[in-house]
Every structure is written in structure tokens, then in C-alpha cells.
Amino acid sequence: MPFIEEPPKWLAPGVEPSESKKTEGWLPNERPPADYWNWQMSRVYKVLLELQEKALENEDLATALGNVVKRSGDTMTGPLMFKDVNGDFLGALRFIESAFTFYHELRARIESESIDIVSSDSTNITAMGVNINASEGVYIEGGLFADRIKTVAPVAGNDVAIKATVDNAITVGKPQQSVMNGQFDIWQRGAIVPYANNFGGGNSAGYGPDRFWGQVFEGTGGTGSNTGFQFERTLFTRGQTDVPGEPSYFCRYFVNAVGTKAPSNAIIRVQQQIEDVLTYAGRKCTLSFYAKASTNRRIAAALTQQFGLNGSPDVPCPGGASFDLTTAWQKFSLTFTVPSIALKVVGSGNSLMMTFVIYKDDNDPIALPSGQVGTYATGSIDFSQIQLNEGDTPLAFRPRAVGEELALCQRYFEKSYSQPSKPGDVINNGAMVFVTADNANNGAAFGTTSFSVTKRTTPSVRIWGIQGNEGRVYDGDTDRVVDSGKVVDWVSDTNFRSEFTVAGAITSRRMFQWTADAEF
């Protein structure tokens, strides 16, 4: 029967408490802020609403599950016994137990032998989001497994899916994409991001497209010669077919200076740290990507477990390999075996490091593939549709919605500026606006700036006046020096506070832009 009660509506979003407060809880005599209560009540309402909207009636779900899997001459534990629920707690527990038993037996059958996926009623199949088509294959789209899996392998005309087909088409529970911004839609730092010796002579490094970091390092014992590179957001020609799916941009990594290579440890690389060293631990994963270069050259791809601060030493993942790029787009893929982390010490800031090696001299810091790789030379390398998925088969690239991708990236870097603008631009769109507490020109301004997304860690926050001067605040006339207090204080993973005055202000208005960087 349909739901009778409606969830208690609460739309005020509030502010999510920090992780430390969630762990510590409320202390005696502490009064929880209204924003925290609003956050909790809003979340409860949204979760309950989602449960109601996505739930199926018992009869519909039982029919769908019963019709999806059939094995001639044998029986399975399922389908689930909905008649046992009866609206009581013990009945719900019995249902959950039955669901787990059914699920695990189904997975075991898929992994050990062929099964028949059949139905006399396509509507019931669709209720689960499972679609079967002799020419298009088996795929899941919407329904109960909408966030799980995706794409397709052809099946025989009698709709019999053998193990290989099921493994490729229905990878239930396997994440399809661990790389963020793999289609290079998000460039919060700007469409062109240059670096030159910013870590001292001979060492240039930094982030460009969100989540991607690059480096040109002349090596240990070098002369401090000039090195440099830049990330460039580059438009695809509309209608091109070299890279499928009509992506808007690709990433050009342009090495414009390499200086004089030192005796050891020289490296040119592009990489992304995937948060959590547990990612794929003890399993296989497959990296796939499109690439080309300004001239033919060899590069490599590597995966490394990094155990973070005070953690175990880095562990290279077997599977690293080299690829020969040409001036035309090609698709490449390789499979890694990610070691177990049993007996490892995991510290803060741990990750799974994905690296594209443009050049390396030796095995420090990238051990696999072993030895020298590539050419220590200038030139550009272009990347598109980078994906890392579980299993030993590259899945078809499926981009996230731009809004979803931006929110994921903002966990690591966020700016107040409108998205087309880069930090330091002369612009007031997105700026924080304060007024002095006493409305006096020389008065103090107070306020709290909240982040759109809770950060990975306490971020480093920088500010600019709207005329583009870093460390200053605009007063309605010009960017002025802060002469007391702090514009950025009490920084947490959710916000920062301001209390400051500026020198020589001629109005009571205060404006500034900001960035919050919580990258590794």
C-alpha cells in the first residue's frame, strides 16, 4: 500500500558541523547553533523524501526480482520473502537477511557460471532498471541500481548472458570512475595556468585543471636552470570523431622549458591523487585515456599507494607500462593489480596516486615501470577522457554532469569568483561584501564566509581585493591594506571568520574575493 505519512518538511539547509564536532558530540552546557539544527533537520527530511520517492511497492519489487533471474533445472534462495515483513521490526530484519542471502548467491552464480536473464514481462525488468536487447546488450539505467553500473556488451539473440557479458555489463557495486574531472570540464584556476621555477630554480610544479597537478624537475644535484610548463584548456572542434561523446575540452600539458638535466631524479609528470589509499586495495583496476603529442614520444602510466603522514612507505602497483604517442588521438588502457593494505600503517593525507610519466630518469619517485621512460624535452601532450574503473576491463567513458563534477572538485579547491574568472582577476562578481559594524568608515568589519562543500582538510585561504591585489580589501574606492585584525581567521573545513579594519577607508563597505585550497 502507498505511504500515508509525509516526511516532515524542512528546507533551510543550515551548515554541516565539522568532522571533529561530529566525533566529539555536544558537550555539557553547550548550545548547538541554529545552523547545525537546520542542517540535521533538512538532511532528515531529504533522506526520508528520497526513500519514499525511490521505493517500490512490495508486490512490484517482488515480481521484478522474481522475473530477472531464472536458472533452469535449479533453484535459488530468492526471490525475497516480502510476506515476512508485515510492517514489524523483526519482519524487516528477516527481509534484510533474505535480501543479503539472495544477493550473494546471485553474485556467486554470476562469477562461477552462466545464467539466463529472462523475463516474460519487460515492464518488470524495467522496474529494476535492467534492459536487455540483442543488439545493444545488457545495461542498467535508472531503477534500483542507477548509481552502480553502466554499460553494454552484446548478448545473443536468446538473451542468454554468459559470464564475460555479465562481468562487462553488470558490474554491480564496482565504481566506474575514481578520477575526478577526467573530461576536463572544470578549470577553477583559469583556462591557462603557467608555472616557472616556483619551487626554486629547476623545479616547476602546481595544479591546473581541477585535481590535476604537473611538474617539471631538472633533478637532484642540478644547476637550478630554467624549467616551466603550463596547463591549457583547449577546445575540441565540434563534430570531431577522434574522441567520442562530443567532449568540450581537452587538457594540453605544454612543457616550454626543461633547463639542464641533473645527474638523477629528473622527472616530468602529470598526476592526480585519489583520496583514500583503500581505493581498489586487493583488487584490479583499469586505467583508460585518450592522448596525443606535438611530436611522437613515449610516456608511461603508473599507480602508487601512498599511506600519508607517518604511514607506511609508498607501494607501486604492478601494471605500470609505457605507451607510444603520435600526433593523432589514440585510446590506451592498462590494468593494475592494487596490493592489499594488510599490516600497513595508514596516516592522514593517504591516497592512490595516478601518474602520467612524460619523462623519468630512474625509479625515484616512480618505481613502475622501472628505469628511464620518455624524453627529457619540451613539447605538448594532450589528454582526454581519463577514467579509472574497478576490474580488468576498460568501461566506456561516462562523464558526470558538470554541476556534479564541480561539487566533487570543490572538496579540494573552491573560489568565490564566478567560474569563467580566475583568481586575481579584476571583477566583483562573487565577492564577499561586508559593512562595518558601526557603519563608520574606519570601523571594524565582522563576518563568516561558508564554503559550498565541506573540504578534505582545513584549507589554505587566500584573498584579493576586487581590483586584483592579493591580501587587500576593497572599500568602494580602491583595494586597501588591512591594518588590524584578520580577514581570514578561525579557518575550518566548512568556513572562515573575518574581523578586521583597513587603512584609509573612505566608505563603510568592504569587499574581497577568496580561494580555499584543500588539495594534497
Side-chain angles (χ1 to χ4, degrees):
M1 61 182 298
F3 288 97
I4 298 174
E5 298 292 339
E6 294 185 0
K9 188 174 183 179
W10 199 270
L11 301 180
V15 174
E16 183 177 2
S18 66
E19 294 301 318
S20 59
K21 173 53 65 178
K22 293 178 186 177
T23 301
E24 178 186 51
W26 303 120
L27 303 178
N29 300 319
E30 185 176 8
R31 298 181 63 183
D35 277 344
Y36 287 1
W37 279 115
N38 283 331
W39 174 82
Q40 181 173 354
M41 296 175 73
S42 174
R43 293 292 299 157
V44 169
Y45 167 64
K46 290 179 179 178
V47 169
L48 292 175
L49 186 64
E50 184 176 5
L51 287 172
Q52 282 198 358
E53 289 176 343
K54 293 186 176 181
L56 290 175
E57 294 294 323
N58 284 347
E59 293 81 0
D60 293 340
L61 184 56
T63 302
L65 287 170
N67 283 334
V68 167
V69 178
K70 177 182 178 182
R71 186 169 181 269
S72 301
D74 199 358
T75 59
M76 295 182 67
T77 304
L80 312 181
M81 297 296 104
F82 290 89
K83 60 180 174 43
D84 292 337
V85 177
N86 293 329
D88 65 281
F89 180 70
L90 291 178
L93 289 180
R94 286 193 295 272
F95 167 69
I96 293 171
E97 181 180 16
S98 177
F100 272 100
T101 302
F102 176 77
Y103 168 76
H104 286 296
E105 186 171 352
L106 172 58
R107 289 302 303 273
R109 291 285 174 80
I110 289 175
E111 292 173 358
S112 64
E113 57 189 297
S114 64
I115 60 171
D116 291 345
I117 299 183
V118 300
S119 176
S120 58
D121 184 348
S122 60
T123 302
N124 292 330
I125 290 289
T126 304
M128 287 193 67
V130 177
N131 292 267
I132 299 177
N133 182 284
S135 61
E136 296 181 3
V138 179
Y139 60 99
I140 290 182
E141 181 177 67
L144 297 177
F145 302 120
D147 62 340
R148 296 291 184 183
I149 341 302
K150 302 291 176 203
T151 189
V152 300
V155 297
N158 60 357
D159 290 338
V160 175
I162 62 173
K163 178 181 184 296
T165 299
V166 173
D167 284 350
N168 187 40
I170 309 182
T171 52
V172 175
K174 295 183 179 181
Q176 169 147 357
Q177 174 63 302
S178 296
V179 174
M180 292 184 188
N181 202 24
Q183 188 154 270
F184 299 104
D185 288 318
I186 312 301
W187 294 72
Q188 293 191 87
R189 294 172 181 85
I192 298 177
V193 190
Y195 295 96
N197 303 307
N198 56 314
F199 279 87
N203 191 6
S204 306
Y207 284 89
D210 279 54
R211 302 298 347 275
F212 286 91
W213 180 89
Q215 182 184 32
V216 178
F217 177 45
E218 68 175 17
T220 302
T223 61
S225 58
N226 182 52
T227 65
F229 69 91
Q230 63 187 33
F231 286 105
E232 302 174 5
R233 186 183 70 187
T234 309
L235 275 169
F236 273 106
T237 301
R238 288 302 180 197
Q240 60 82 30
T241 57
D242 295 326
V243 179
E246 286 285 358
S248 297
Y249 307 108
F250 60 90
C251 172
R252 172 159 291 166
Y253 180 66
F254 175 45
V255 179
N256 49 38
V258 294
T260 303
K261 187 171 75 70
S264 62
N265 305 139
I267 192 165
I268 305 174
R269 57 180 165 173
V270 175
Q271 63 190 34
Q272 181 175 133
Q273 286 183 261
I274 299 167
E275 189 175 356
D276 195 349
V277 73
L278 288 169
T279 305
Y280 304 129
R283 294 168 285 166
K284 290 184 177 182
C285 63
T286 298
L287 173 67
S288 57
F289 61 97
Y290 283 84
K292 64 183 179 73
S294 54
T295 59
N296 294 354
R297 65 192 298 168
R298 174 168 290 188
I299 70 170
L303 208 60
T304 307
Q305 291 177 313
Q306 296 189 318
F307 290 89
L309 182 65
N310 299 321
S312 298
D314 292 357
V315 175
C317 300
S322 299
F323 305 89
D324 291 318
L325 305 189
T326 68
T327 57
W329 286 109
Q330 300 176 76
K331 185 176 183 179
F332 302 96
S333 67
L334 73 164
T335 297
F336 296 94
T337 300
V338 184
S340 166
I341 64 168
L343 304 180
K344 298 293 185 181
V345 177
V346 178
S348 61
N350 60 86
S351 68
L352 183 65
M353 176 74 79
M354 175 194 68
T355 304
F356 292 100
V357 181
I358 314 305
Y359 174 83
K360 77 181 184 83
D361 209 22
D362 43 43
N363 292 338
D364 185 10
I366 304 298
L368 294 177
S370 181
Q372 182 175 312
V373 171
T375 306
Y376 191 74
T378 59
S380 64
I381 299 89
D382 300 338
F383 295 99
S384 183
Q385 294 191 349
I386 300 173
Q387 178 166 277
L388 186 65
N389 62 260
E390 185 174 344
D392 56 8
T393 302
L395 300 180
F397 186 83
R398 294 179 68 93
R400 300 183 183 97
V402 174
E404 179 186 2
E405 197 77 77
L406 175 61
L408 290 172
C409 292
Q410 285 175 329
R411 174 170 170 78
Y412 305 89
F413 183 86
E414 184 179 350
K415 64 182 181 180
S416 58
Y417 298 86
S418 59
Q419 286 307 312
S421 303
K422 66 180 185 297
D425 277 356
V426 179
I427 188 172
N428 61 13
N429 289 348
M432 294 301 301
V433 180
F434 292 166
V435 175
T436 58
D438 57 3
N439 208 33
N441 293 350
N442 62 350
F446 304 83
T448 298
T449 300
S450 296
F451 305 134
S452 298
V453 175
T454 300
K455 299 293 172 272
R456 179 189 70 87
T457 188
T458 301
S460 171
V461 178
R462 298 167 63 187
I463 67 160
W464 289 260
I466 66 171
Q467 292 180 329
N469 298 294
E470 186 169 5
R472 299 196 176 192
V473 175
Y474 184 74
D475 74 336
D477 174 58
T478 190
D479 290 349
R480 297 191 182 275
V481 174
V482 176
D483 64 354
S484 70
K486 294 181 179 180
V487 181
V488 179
D489 201 6
W490 295 93
V491 183
S492 74
D493 57 1
T494 59
N495 59 46
F496 65 90
R497 302 178 194 173
S498 304
E499 181 178 346
F500 62 93
T501 64
V502 298
I506 64 171
T507 77
S508 61
R509 184 171 49 161
R510 307 289 183 261
M511 298 177 67
F512 62 88
Q513 303 275 16
W514 56 266
T515 62
D517 191 336
E519 276 287 4
F520 289 85

